[in-house]
Amino acid sequence: MEVRYVLGTYHEIILKGQNRGFFERKLLANIKRALAGLPVASVTIPSRVVIAFSEDVPWAQVQARLATVFGLAGLIPALWAGRTYEELERAVESRLHTFGGESFAVRCKRSDKRFPLTSEDIQKKLGAFIKARTGKQVNLTNPDTVVRVYVQSDGLYLSLGEAPGPGGLPVGTSGKVLVLLSGGIDSPLAALLTLKRGAKVEFVHFHSAPYTSEASIRKVEELVRVLARYQGQARLTLVPFGEFQQEVARLAPERLRVILYRRMMLRVAERIARRHRCLALATGESLNQVSSQTLENLAAIDRVAHMPVLRPLVGLDKQEIIDIATRAGTFEISILPHQDCCSFLQPLHPATRTTPKACEEAEKPLDVEDWARRLQHQAQSRQLAPLPWDS
Ligand code: ATP
Ligand code: MG
């Protein structure tokens, strides 16, 4: 299917009050960014979002791109049907051959109350017209074809279908979050869900190169570029972590290694976040998904943080995580083999229930504040552009 117009609906709740203009400006800007390169004529909000193209565009292409614009609740590929009821009839007439089945219903939404006919008038009149032309029956409860008409201040539109949008809030309306990104399946999804709540994100990755291969860095770069489609370019900060890991392996109890790595990751991430004006951190941890993610261990990790640590995956099971990550295009990158920094010097029997006190005790020979400072100084940041759409 090819389309010339797409209507977008968004959730009304956020629009009440003074936020409306701010919310709408972000949404429009994000739509324009996502559609860059396509022949967009205009993007406006007369009542719902109206995207007009200057020529027909493949619907699948538009839909894939708008799936990255959080804040859009529903998408309606549409036909321009003029400004008067007579023009609407002519538009419907040109579509009659596409109406399948034996029954139909007309559903009209009138957001421009100045239009001379009410929604009900249009439904009745157009229903009689279609019935006379096609012989099909009106069936309001279970129609084979639904004919949707939108009456807006900028004119009448006839829907060609309906699709769910990505939902959520427009990116750029909720501040900025620093996501701890490994090459795994979970942390890219943590970023996606944070974006979905309207926050911008940037990323920090801890790597053990040259002790491990640089594959995790390449993977993370690729993931960042996929996720950047949701917000425009994104900053990635790389932190060489191998020396610290060796020091931990030398001086701290083996079973606490992973938790001590995580605590250091949070310390360093927080320093980077503060410098980059992020107000929170996010990780891909869930609860009890792996033995290191018990509530006790999460509490021992969080003890070193002064910022909120968001864990958006906490309500999802593994299958839901895989489904969402597959749709977002991060899953196929995440499952490529790589050596995560935490598999470097991995303990055989990691602690499953530690305490902040046990961690502090284990960190005594390490001078963690000095390490945090050094690691921050060794960190390197750069901006990555979104992955182009035709690849
Ligand atoms: P993921 O799939 O994101 O790797 P996971 O379920 O495998 O998560 P862990 O490997 O225990 O869980 O990591 C927990 C979280 O800690 C990750 O989701 C990520 O937010 C953070 N993390 C782990 N390793 C790194 C790393 N090398 N760099 C940055 N963050 C990391
Ligand atoms: Mg992992």
Side-chain angles (χ1 to χ4, degrees):
M1 182 168 82
E2 304 252 310
V3 288
R4 189 67 75 95
Y5 295 90
V6 176
L7 309 184
T9 60
Y10 47 91
H11 275 298
E12 308 285 321
I13 313 155
I14 188 93
L15 302 181
K16 309 232 186 304
Q18 301 164 344
N19 272 340
R20 181 177 182 136
F22 174 63
F23 173 97
E24 290 182 343
R25 278 193 301 280
K26 289 285 181 200
L27 186 62
L28 290 189
N30 292 349
I31 290 171
K32 286 181 192 160
R33 195 195 54 243
L35 297 177
L38 297 181
V40 176
S42 63
V43 185
T44 52
I45 308 196
S47 46
R48 43 186 74 71
V49 172
V50 178
I51 302 164
F53 295 96
S54 54
E55 57 191 76
D56 288 350
V57 181
W59 167 234
Q61 211 173 19
V62 176
Q63 203 182 356
R65 294 199 183 200
L66 293 180
T68 65
V69 183
F70 287 123
L72 287 171
L75 303 174
I76 303 158
L79 201 75
W80 162 255
R83 294 189 177 276
T84 64
Y85 175 78
E86 288 67 33
E87 286 173 279
L88 172 66
E89 261 187 8
R90 281 201 291 280
V92 169
E93 189 156 37
S94 75
R95 302 288 308 168
L96 288 178
H97 64 280
T98 66
F99 294 0
E102 296 308 311
S103 63
F104 72 96
V106 179
R107 305 221 161 107
C108 179
K109 286 201 176 139
R110 186 181 67 147
S111 34
D112 181 11
K113 305 298 178 200
R114 293 166 308 176
F115 195 77
L117 301 178
T118 65
S119 292
E120 206 164 319
D121 294 338
I122 293 174
Q123 285 166 187
K124 280 194 187 138
K125 237 176 135 171
L126 197 57
F129 173 77
I130 295 171
K131 190 174 169 183
R133 292 296 161 102
T134 62
K136 294 185 197 297
Q137 293 305 307
V138 174
N139 179 341
L140 296 182
T141 49
N142 191 20
D144 294 324
T145 295
V146 180
V147 183
R148 287 178 206 278
V149 177
Y150 296 87
V151 181
Q152 306 195 148
S153 54
D154 58 326
L156 305 170
Y157 293 87
L158 188 61
S159 154
L160 303 172
E162 271 185 311
L169 304 174
V171 171
T173 57
S174 309
K176 198 162 65 162
V177 174
L178 178 63
V179 179
L180 283 80
L181 191 67
S182 72
I185 297 166
D186 296 335
S187 41
L189 200 60
L192 190 78
L193 295 176
T194 303
L195 286 159
K196 186 172 182 183
R197 296 311 304 164
K200 279 203 151 195
V201 294
E202 57 176 82
F203 301 92
V204 59
H205 175 65
F206 297 83
H207 65 86
S208 317
Y211 304 103
T212 62
S213 83
E214 297 211 345
S216 81
I217 299 178
R218 299 285 94 77
K219 258 178 94 167
V220 160
E221 286 169 347
E222 186 84 357
L223 288 166
V224 168
R225 297 190 69 200
V226 170
L227 292 162
R229 284 176 168 171
Y230 292 79
Q231 70 167 19
Q233 62 173 8
R235 179 153 53 188
L236 169 64
T237 302
L238 294 173
V239 182
F241 207 48
E243 269 182 56
F244 173 73
Q245 290 178 281
Q246 287 193 316
E247 179 96 331
V248 171
R250 204 161 59 82
L251 297 175
E254 182 176 335
R255 40 196 297 282
L256 289 180
R257 270 183 206 165
V258 173
I259 307 221
L260 300 190
Y261 298 161
R262 286 289 137 70
R263 281 164 63 98
M264 184 55 69
M265 285 184 190
L266 280 200
R267 288 189 189 96
V268 178
E270 196 166 81
R271 285 165 168 268
I272 296 167
R274 243 181 272 125
R275 168 161 293 198
H276 294 176
R277 300 186 192 288
C278 301
L279 293 178
L281 306 176
T283 81
E285 287 157 324
S286 186
L287 190 55
N288 280 342
Q289 194 199 78
V290 289
S291 58
S292 61
Q293 295 172 7
T294 61
L295 209 43
E296 286 85 350
N297 284 354
L298 295 180
I301 293 168
D302 265 14
R303 187 58 66 95
V304 303
H306 305 88
M307 290 184 175
V309 180
L310 308 178
R311 296 190 166 91
L313 267 53
V314 82
L316 302 178
D317 62 35
K318 200 71 200 181
Q319 193 54 49
E320 290 169 312
I321 289 171
I322 290 172
D323 291 347
I324 305 173
T326 302
R327 266 182 275 132
T330 57
F331 183 73
E332 60 182 52
I333 302 169
S334 293
I335 56 175
L336 297 171
H338 81 291
Q339 234 184 333
D340 184 67
C341 81
C342 293
S343 58
F344 174 56
L345 300 175
Q346 173 100 26
L348 268 179
H349 301 289
T352 53
R353 286 183 178 12
T354 186
T355 60
K357 208 162 175 300
C359 294
E360 283 156 24
E361 202 56 41
E363 282 168 349
K364 272 196 180 143
L366 287 170
D367 197 350
V368 286
E369 285 314 314
D370 187 52
W371 267 109
R373 219 178 357 258
R374 270 158 60 194
L375 290 171
Q376 183 194 2
H377 286 303
Q378 290 169 12
Q380 292 196 330
S381 298
R382 74 209 150 90
Q383 299 281 350
L384 295 182
L387 206 66
W389 279 101
D390 25 1
S391 67

